[in-house]
Amino acid sequence: MAYPRNVSIADAIKSYYQLPRTHRVHWSKARKDQVVRAVREKAMSFHEARERYLLSRDEFEQWEADYLASGGESTERMQDA
């Protein structure tokens, strides 16, 4: 996917995964799921997500458990197909 020269890779990733710019947002389930998905697909590291969104390891692990419990992985595959 090509982007204009003035768009950084980080901005392109945030746009693709619809990630919030900072931690100062209402954390809906959909936003949490997008962060988990971006980390699981290696679009951003856990460390980067942790710094950007001020997450503890326990908090992220809870988001990830909720994501998987709601069928996050199987839902993704259906959308990508």
Side-chain angles (χ1 to χ4, degrees):
M1 179 184 306
Y3 294 98
R5 290 180 185 258
N6 63 342
V7 175
S8 71
I9 292 172
D11 287 340
I13 289 170
K14 283 188 282 187
S15 176
Y16 178 79
Y17 286 94
Q18 300 173 346
L19 297 172
R21 293 188 184 280
T22 70
H23 67 282
R24 295 177 183 229
V25 296
H26 168 73
W27 283 104
S28 65
K29 172 141 177 41
R31 282 197 174 119
K32 292 175 183 179
D33 287 352
Q34 289 303 99
V35 171
V36 170
R37 183 175 167 225
V39 171
R40 290 180 63 86
E41 293 181 0
K42 299 185 182 352
M44 71 185 321
S45 68
F46 167 73
H47 181 71
E48 183 181 357
R50 189 173 176 184
E51 282 187 0
R52 180 178 294 164
Y53 303 121
L54 303 179
L55 299 172
S56 68
R57 180 173 295 280
D58 289 340
E59 188 173 22
F60 180 82
E61 287 173 355
Q62 183 60 55
W63 289 12
E64 188 173 36
D66 293 344
Y67 172 76
L68 295 173
S70 67
E73 293 251 310
S74 59
T75 303
E76 276 176 34
R77 288 188 197 124
M78 289 173 45
Q79 289 175 350
D80 291 343

